[in-house]
Amino acid sequence: MTDLILFDDDNDVSLKLGLKTQKIILGKEIAFGGVDINRKLIESRKVRVLVSPHLGARKDFMNFSNSGLNDVLCKLCRKNKVSIGFSFSEVLNLSGIKRSEILSRMRQNVRLCSKYGVSMRVFTLAKEPYEIRAKDALFAFARILGMKENQIRIGL
């Protein structure tokens, strides 16, 4: 189990990365991404898992989703050994169009990660006890996102 640490502008990691907003770091190796800071987090070499890189993505493009990752970031992830994480509770707590948009962005990230050889992890990240799911449910979620069996890594 990993502790959850919330840091803001006065933390030395956030100052080194030049972050102005609050970000969540799990055990100082897992970071929540945002479209505007994904590259800084990946290049910092302090982060091992970038969770939900699509956070903060505004409008989708005409032919593809604005998923927070691109080919350059995926190559950097592979080079710096940064995994991309997917949060099950993020999908669980949404419904309707928002859920379909998030799933679409996650699927696009899975395709990019598969293409460029970036490792992926699936997390529960439950905020409430009823959001906790078994390993089998997370495995099924990963398959829905398009991960192959040998690519699935479950982080609880």
Side-chain angles (χ1 to χ4, degrees):
M1 210 61 158
T2 310
D3 293 331
L4 188 65
I5 301 166
L6 181 64
F7 72 86
D8 53 15
D9 291 339
D10 53 344
N11 185 295
D12 60 337
V13 176
S14 63
L15 290 174
K16 285 181 184 176
L17 296 177
L19 305 179
K20 298 296 180 194
T21 58
Q22 289 187 341
K23 299 297 169 206
I24 296 174
I25 297 278
L26 298 172
K28 295 186 181 177
E29 292 187 353
I30 301 174
F32 275 81
V35 174
D36 51 342
I37 63 153
N38 283 342
R39 186 166 185 147
K40 287 182 184 179
L41 287 171
I42 292 168
E43 289 177 341
S44 73
R45 296 183 185 256
K46 294 184 185 289
V47 174
R48 291 286 143 234
V49 180
L50 180 65
V51 180
S52 301
H54 57 272
L55 289 178
R58 292 181 181 92
K59 193 173 178 184
D60 290 339
F61 301 113
M62 179 69 86
N63 295 322
F64 59 94
S65 299
N66 187 4
S67 65
L69 283 182
N70 55 29
D71 57 341
V72 175
L73 293 179
C74 286
K75 289 174 185 176
L76 279 172
C77 282
R78 187 181 66 222
K79 177 183 166 194
N80 294 339
K81 297 179 183 163
V82 175
S83 299
I84 299 298
F86 299 92
S87 170
F88 180 71
S89 67
E90 185 178 343
V91 175
L92 184 65
N93 292 326
L94 294 174
S95 62
I97 302 253
K98 286 299 249 183
R99 181 183 279 181
S100 66
E101 286 175 356
I102 294 297
L103 282 171
S104 169
R105 290 173 180 168
M106 286 181 172
R107 284 186 188 123
Q108 174 142 353
N109 286 341
V110 167
R111 282 192 296 265
L112 283 168
C113 290
S114 295
K115 182 176 180 179
Y116 292 102
V118 178
S119 64
M120 298 173 274
R121 296 183 180 271
V122 177
F123 296 94
T124 303
L125 297 182
K127 297 175 188 128
E128 300 290 330
Y130 72 88
E131 294 177 359
I132 297 173
R133 296 295 187 261
K135 212 171 192 177
D136 294 340
L138 295 178
F139 190 82
F141 174 65
R143 294 290 293 154
I144 287 171
L145 291 179
M147 292 183 202
K148 307 246 185 314
E149 286 188 31
N150 61 348
Q151 294 175 322
I152 300 173
R153 303 284 181 269
I154 306 294
L156 298 172

